Amino acid sequence: MIDHPYGTVPAQLALALQDHADRIAITDADLTLSYGQLADCIQRLGAHLPDGPVAVFGKPSALFGAAVTACVVLGRPFVHLDPAMPDEVLRNILSELDIDVVLLSEPAKPGQIPDHCRPVDAAQVIAGFADAPAAPVGAGDVAPDDIIYLVATSGTTGKPKCIPVTQDAAYLSYMWRDAYTPYAPGDCVGVYIFAIWEMFRPLRNGATICFARMAELMNPEALRSFLIRNRVTEMLFTPSAFDKTLQGWSPDASQDLSLTRVILNGEVVTDDLIAAAKHKLPNVTIWNLYSICETHDICMTQVSGQSGLRQSGSVGKAMPYLTPVVLDDHDQLCPPGTAGLLHFEGPRMLGPGYVNRPEETALRFRALNINGRAARLYDTGDQGYVADDCTIFVLGRVAHMLKLRGHSIQTRELTDSLHGFVQFGSAVPWVQDVPGQGKALVFYYCADAGQAAQNEKRWGIEAGQMRMPASLSAALRAELPAYCIPSYLVRLDALPLHLVSGKCDYKALPAIEAVSETSDADVIPTIAQAALVMGCSASTLDPDLSFHDQGGDSLMAVTLLLALEEIYARPVDFDFALNVPLGRLHDLLSETAPTPLAQNQFDRPGILLTGATGFLGSRVLAAAARSLPHGEVIYCLIRPKRRDPLERLHAIAAEQGVDPAKLVLVPASIDDERFALSDDDYASLAQNTRQVIHCAAMVNLAVDRDHMESWSKAGIANILQFCVDAGADLRFSSSSAVYADTGGRYPEGPTKPYPQISGYGAAKVAAEALIAGSGVDAAIVRLPSLYDLDNPNPNDIYEIIMKACADMQAVPEGLTFRMIAVQAAAQFLTDIPRPDGTHYFNLTPDLYTKAPAGMKVLPVTDWLHDAPLSDAERALIAADLTVLHATATLTHDAASAVWTQLTGAPFNTVSDPAALVAARLKTTSHHHNDPAFT
């Protein structure tokens, strides 16, 4: 029995707020709160809390930490709403729990919070917080069976499962863990994904909680800098995340670290991982924590500094309030050392079950008779066994579902799908650790002679173990997500059977021996390394798809980029490694500064154009050529790639009907200072250039904000310096992404980043600010998405959405967005009079593309689920559903006046939504004047 004078978590936290008032409690890059300040914030937030449960919306952060701590101290059960969840899931969580009040630790997008809920802006409530409240914070009066917080799954069907955790379970597990991993003032605990689990225990004892950014978590060196900068003493990782972090650290990584303790949770901890930690972090104690929401914590054991060989899968002994129970498939007790289905008993630790889910509660919280005694057990879904000394060993998940790189794989559905391609009698998919490759999906199967002959004839499948054949992989990719395609096939004479259950004995499935790729000079390094990391054949990977699109995840991308940095001898951006097509990634990493051109190449007057080979730039090239004064040329700055840049330029010229005699190639990059030209060539180019049209990238590569801003600033700084050196004016293609997709009317003037701005939008804001401060005469032209009726841009998100709508002949409910003709944007950029100073133009008329009358309309979640999109496209849309309801209005007086001056036509002629929809969705011409389009 654990005794303590303050027998609840709220009481312990309330006491800590008084005892450690001057110490830092919670901090991140944007906000730091002492315990005294946190106490004041809690009192302020308390005035807005109802008597019942509360939802807290936002990613883990210091403000999020303050909001949830207020709920716990004041005895209000809370549930975390993750902004990445689909809107329907968020609504279902709030409905399931009957919640009316939502604390916002970051702004919600339109539609994320239902209208009936009252949002409370936590930042606004705590603004001007005091160093300490006027009176001590009083802890909420809670009973042992009251709920301290609820954990809500995202729900693959849109119907999330809500798991209540009781006050008693939290208190008992916190006190029990204090004996293993105690905290004291001066300790600093790094927190991210497991914020709910890991915040309150250290706060009871005066420690500091420090939140890391996602960009820091995904980059080993950035994470190390975070740990050093904040003097973090403890961090919790999943074993996969910790393994990738260690791979990116050198043997002397522990230098300058204050880290003394790492807790691993969520997966099986291997001996190899422990050995790697001992090698690179010799002074850090490693603990393995086995915990499940339904039972809070289960057991904990130190896995570093032990003498003798550790047995794989060991997670220690259960805490005093839980008893492990291992059952066979007939619900009979398994003897010590015999593997079975792992359950736990413990009335003070097991929760009440799932909210409003009586059937699922009965399925997982099982009422059984064990040796004549009634017992309530929780079925963990794990396979495991208990040794004679009561040590628990966890072997993995049960066979009906597998977990691979964060993806859930239904084994029955996968087996049924493979039956349409491969001949076999019996089969089981399983996830195995492959030496040097990490976890891989393996398909074990049995086939008779006739089936084996058919498999060899059709796919070249041989006996025994082999990598997935390229032809079979390509065929499967048309029907299955990349993560569901097995990396290895293993033909067995018979599946190994468990002696008790008579079912497959997964422990006895043969291990996979890593197979090295046959050396092939034609395999580019990005493909070769991606295949090695994913445990597949290089021939199964498509150079036109990204690492992520082919099944790679963020953890695997860290391994990939570390390998690529060594091969290409240059830094590799994490998001490029994850999201850029592998062939294109090789081109980018292979680029070197161009060889300086021969002198006197730039001896004719003209203009400088960037991005001439892009969707917008190619049309600007055509528009500029039409209005070019006699004797002038267009200097086209093109980054050299594997294909000859002059050949690329001439191909664009032919496509756009431009006389190549009017064009002069500048094979260089805006990222290089002075474009990497020789001094004479640079001076000559500057002397003969009167105007620069900078067609900056219009495609969002989904990279993080910091990198996008950094790249944008570097490129625009070189362009601006050239404008100064040349005395040239600048026309810059900015984006309406500098404003949110909804709201307005937004001005034609300077702007600042708004909450939840994309990295792309933030990069444009940063570039605009540099232009405005440069003194260069500049026209900043903000463009929405661009269309060409005859030649769509396949990378534009709205072209992707329209193609999906056309393919399925259905649109998402409330679809609306804005696009203008790319030719109109090109004409505006080239023909606008030379500006005096900095001028802003919103080339965005109030014309919106909408669904045509008669088109089938689906709820957004149904459309998104059924639409023929790639996983990456679906995830991009799901991450911000306002893209489907883009209704922002922008002031456009200056743009309208200039357009009319240039063309004599009304401003609305820059866009024809009806013609666009007719072309994309193959509607009939009589819809042209239908008001549904505008």
Side-chain angles (χ1 to χ4, degrees):
M1 183 73 176
I2 297 175
D3 295 317
H4 195 281
Y6 305 97
T8 70
V9 173
Q12 291 176 323
L13 288 170
L15 183 64
L17 296 173
Q18 292 179 256
D19 291 348
H20 308 288
D22 296 330
R23 294 186 177 278
I24 295 176
I26 300 176
T27 184
D28 63 12
D30 301 313
L31 176 66
T32 296
L33 295 172
S34 69
Y35 277 85
Q37 293 167 334
L38 177 59
D40 186 59
C41 293
I42 289 172
Q43 288 196 345
R44 292 168 183 249
L45 290 166
H48 298 270
L49 298 182
D51 293 333
V54 181
V56 182
F57 176 91
K59 297 183 291 292
S61 66
L63 184 58
F64 170 84
V68 296
T69 304
C71 295
V72 172
V73 171
L74 300 176
R76 308 300 205 278
F78 75 90
V79 64
H80 174 210
L81 298 183
D82 189 334
M85 290 179 174
D87 290 357
E88 182 184 0
V89 173
L90 296 174
R91 288 192 294 269
N92 285 340
I93 292 173
L94 293 167
S95 174
E96 195 91 359
L97 300 177
D98 196 23
I99 289 178
D100 295 322
V101 175
V102 181
L103 287 180
L104 302 178
S105 65
E106 68 179 75
K109 298 175 183 177
Q112 286 190 300
I113 305 301
D115 292 339
H116 75 272
C117 290
R118 177 168 64 89
V120 177
D121 187 339
Q124 185 175 357
V125 171
I126 72 169
F129 51 78
D131 287 340
V137 176
D141 184 15
V142 296
D145 291 340
D146 286 347
I147 305 305
I148 186 170
Y149 55 76
L150 300 108
V151 179
T153 64
S154 59
T156 56
T157 64
K159 298 180 180 179
K161 182 170 61 179
C162 297
I163 308 165
V165 177
T166 66
Q167 291 277 353
D168 199 27
Y171 172 75
L172 293 175
S173 67
Y174 290 174
M175 296 300 295
W176 166 73
R177 282 179 62 180
D178 282 348
Y180 293 90
T181 54
Y183 297 95
D187 289 338
C188 181
V189 180
V191 176
Y192 62 116
I193 298 170
F194 295 92
I196 292 175
W197 296 90
E198 296 307 302
M199 280 191 302
F200 309 119
R201 294 189 311 106
L203 286 176
R204 297 172 307 133
N205 295 296
T208 297
I209 299 298
C210 187
F211 290 88
R213 293 176 174 176
M214 184 56 68
E216 291 171 321
L217 296 168
M218 290 294 102
N219 184 304
E221 278 307 312
L223 178 57
R224 184 172 179 272
S225 296
F226 163 81
L227 297 173
I228 294 172
R229 183 173 64 253
N230 294 284
R231 304 187 67 81
V232 172
T233 56
E234 177 189 289
M235 192 91 179
L236 185 147
F237 296 86
T238 63
S240 294
F242 189 51
D243 184 38
K244 300 307 178 186
T245 297
L246 290 178
Q247 289 183 31
W249 284 355
S250 62
D252 61 351
S254 60
Q255 184 178 354
D256 300 324
L257 286 179
S258 300
L259 196 66
T260 60
R261 186 162 63 208
V262 165
I263 299 175
L264 301 175
N265 177 244
E267 297 169 321
V268 174
V269 178
T270 65
D271 292 330
D272 288 341
L273 180 57
I274 296 170
K278 182 178 180 181
H279 176 59
K280 293 190 176 181
L281 299 173
N283 299 319
V284 176
T285 304
I286 313 295
W287 291 86
N288 183 19
L289 171 67
Y290 180 42
S291 63
I292 297 174
C293 296
E294 288 84 347
T295 64
H296 206 285
D297 284 328
I298 295 176
C299 50
M300 190 172 192
T301 184
Q302 182 179 336
V303 295
S304 60
Q306 297 178 339
S307 59
L309 182 65
R310 173 183 170 274
Q311 291 179 278
S312 179
S314 170
V315 296
K317 299 177 182 179
M319 63 180 292
Y321 301 95
L322 283 171
T323 301
V325 178
V326 182
L327 303 177
D328 63 20
D329 290 343
H330 306 288
D331 287 337
Q332 300 300 306
L333 285 172
C334 292
T338 301
L341 304 177
L342 190 57
H343 298 68
F344 284 94
E345 180 181 13
R348 295 184 66 180
M349 294 301 297
L350 268 62
Y354 306 113
V355 177
N356 296 329
R357 298 286 186 89
E359 295 178 355
E360 191 162 358
T361 297
L363 183 65
R364 299 303 295 271
F365 292 83
R366 308 181 64 198
L368 297 175
N369 189 294
I370 304 296
N371 288 342
R373 175 181 61 85
R376 182 173 184 258
L377 308 177
Y378 173 69
D379 181 354
T380 66
D382 287 333
Q383 288 190 319
Y385 65 93
V386 179
D388 290 327
D389 65 353
C390 296
T391 298
I392 300 169
F393 292 79
V394 178
L395 304 178
R397 301 294 294 169
V398 294
H400 66 273
M401 179 178 289
L402 300 175
K403 285 285 189 180
L404 179 64
R405 304 192 291 272
H407 299 288
S408 297
I409 301 173
Q410 296 286 348
T411 58
R412 178 175 298 176
E413 286 82 350
L414 176 58
T415 302
D416 290 344
S417 296
L418 285 171
H419 240 314
F421 297 86
V422 179
Q423 301 281 315
F424 57 85
S426 57
V428 292
W430 195 242
V431 173
Q432 293 279 30
D433 281 306
V434 180
Q437 297 174 8
K439 295 186 180 300
L441 181 61
V442 182
F443 190 69
Y444 295 91
Y445 69 100
C446 300
D448 59 28
Q451 292 169 332
Q454 287 295 320
N455 293 335
E456 183 172 8
K457 179 180 179 180
R458 185 177 182 187
W459 305 113
I461 298 176
E462 302 172 352
Q465 169 195 316
M466 68 175 297
R467 283 254 178 93
M468 173 66 71
S471 55
L472 177 55
S473 179
L476 290 171
R477 234 180 1 241
E479 293 196 12
L480 297 173
Y483 60 83
C484 282
I485 298 176
S487 297
Y488 291 89
L489 300 174
V490 180
R491 179 184 165 192
L492 303 173
D493 293 333
L495 295 175
L497 299 181
H498 192 281
L499 296 178
V500 175
S501 68
K503 297 182 179 180
C504 178
D505 185 352
Y506 296 94
K507 291 192 298 180
L509 290 170
I512 297 298
E513 298 178 3
V515 178
S516 300
E517 281 288 330
T518 303
S519 177
D520 188 341
D522 292 331
V523 177
I524 57 177
T526 50
I527 294 284
Q529 291 303 312
L532 184 62
V533 170
M534 288 194 286
C536 63
S537 169
S539 59
T540 66
L541 298 182
D542 187 340
D544 293 328
L545 296 177
S546 71
F547 182 69
H548 177 269
D549 288 342
Q550 299 183 82
D553 64 14
S554 56
L555 291 175
M556 298 167 70
V558 175
T559 302
L560 176 63
L561 76 85
L562 292 172
L564 296 180
E565 285 184 341
E566 184 174 347
I567 292 171
Y568 290 93
R570 62 185 299 174
V572 177
D573 179 76
F574 168 78
D575 293 284
F576 268 28
L578 185 64
N579 295 313
V580 173
L582 293 172
R584 170 66 176 149
L585 181 60
H586 170 71
D587 291 340
L588 290 171
L589 298 179
S590 301
E591 289 175 354
T592 57
T595 303
L597 297 174
Q599 295 183 11
N600 302 318
Q601 290 290 314
F602 310 132
D603 54 359
R604 287 179 285 174
I607 67 173
L608 177 68
L609 171 64
T610 72
T613 59
F615 182 72
L616 171 61
S618 62
R619 277 70 173 184
V620 170
L621 181 72
R626 286 193 296 269
S627 60
L628 197 68
H630 178 72
E632 289 197 2
V633 295
I634 304 174
Y635 292 109
C636 299
L637 195 152
I638 299 177
R639 185 194 301 265
K641 299 181 179 179
R642 184 160 47 182
R643 183 182 173 191
D644 179 77
L646 186 59
E647 179 185 337
R648 293 163 58 210
L649 178 59
H650 283 177
I652 291 293
E655 180 182 295
Q656 297 298 325
V658 175
D659 182 358
K662 294 182 178 182
L663 310 179
V664 176
L665 172 69
V666 184
S669 167
I670 62 170
D671 299 329
D672 297 320
E673 185 178 1
R674 298 168 66 88
F675 309 144
L677 298 174
S678 68
D679 291 344
D680 289 342
D681 281 340
Y682 182 83
S684 179
L685 181 63
Q687 180 180 353
N688 287 288
T689 298
R690 61 175 174 84
Q691 178 187 102
V692 175
I693 305 178
H694 181 28
C695 292
M698 295 297 294
V699 179
N700 184 354
L701 293 175
V703 301
D704 69 272
R705 175 173 169 177
D706 290 343
H707 280 99
M708 284 291 285
E709 287 190 56
S710 175
W711 296 334
S712 177
K713 288 178 180 178
I716 199 65
N718 290 330
I719 290 292
L720 289 171
Q721 184 59 55
F722 179 80
C723 289
V724 171
D725 295 337
D729 69 286
L730 172 66
R731 291 98 191 284
F732 175 67
S733 67
S734 188
S735 169
S736 58
V738 300
Y739 295 115
D741 281 334
T742 57
R745 180 168 296 269
Y746 299 118
E748 282 181 303
T751 186
K752 295 181 180 180
Y754 56 88
Q756 297 179 318
I757 191 171
S758 66
Y760 175 68
K764 295 295 187 184
V765 172
E768 288 186 4
L770 286 176
I771 293 170
S774 69
V776 170
D777 292 335
I780 296 172
V781 183
R782 292 170 178 153
L783 305 170
S785 284
L786 304 174
Y787 69 80
D788 184 321
L789 292 180
D790 300 319
N791 297 290
N793 178 7
N795 295 319
D796 189 280
I797 187 62
Y798 289 120
E799 293 287 5
I800 292 169
I801 290 170
M802 286 189 289
K803 183 179 185 303
C805 290
D807 290 345
M808 63 191 304
Q809 285 297 295
V811 296
E813 187 176 18
L815 176 66
T816 181
F817 56 91
R818 176 176 21 224
M819 296 184 83
I820 67 170
V822 65
Q823 293 83 0
Q827 183 177 358
F828 194 94
L829 283 164
T830 56
D831 293 349
I832 186 172
R834 175 168 180 143
D836 180 14
T838 303
H839 294 267
Y840 300 84
F841 302 93
N842 292 337
L843 202 65
T844 53
D846 295 329
L847 294 172
Y848 299 90
T849 304
K850 298 182 179 181
M855 195 81 170
K856 183 179 180 181
V857 177
L858 298 176
V860 170
T861 52
D862 292 349
W863 182 88
L864 191 58
H865 180 271
D866 297 336
L869 301 166
S870 70
D871 290 343
E873 292 163 352
R874 201 181 315 276
L876 182 63
I877 296 171
D880 183 7
L881 291 177
T882 60
V883 73
L884 299 175
H885 311 293
T887 57
T889 56
L890 279 66
T891 299
H892 44 64
D893 294 343
S896 178
V898 169
W899 178 256
T900 301
Q901 175 187 345
L902 294 177
T903 66
F907 186 48
N908 284 354
T909 56
V910 303
S911 180
D912 189 343
L916 174 62
V917 173
R920 298 296 182 260
L921 302 187
K922 299 181 176 60
T923 54
T924 56
S925 59
H926 75 271
H927 288 305
H928 187 79
N929 296 314
D930 193 320
F933 288 96
T934 57

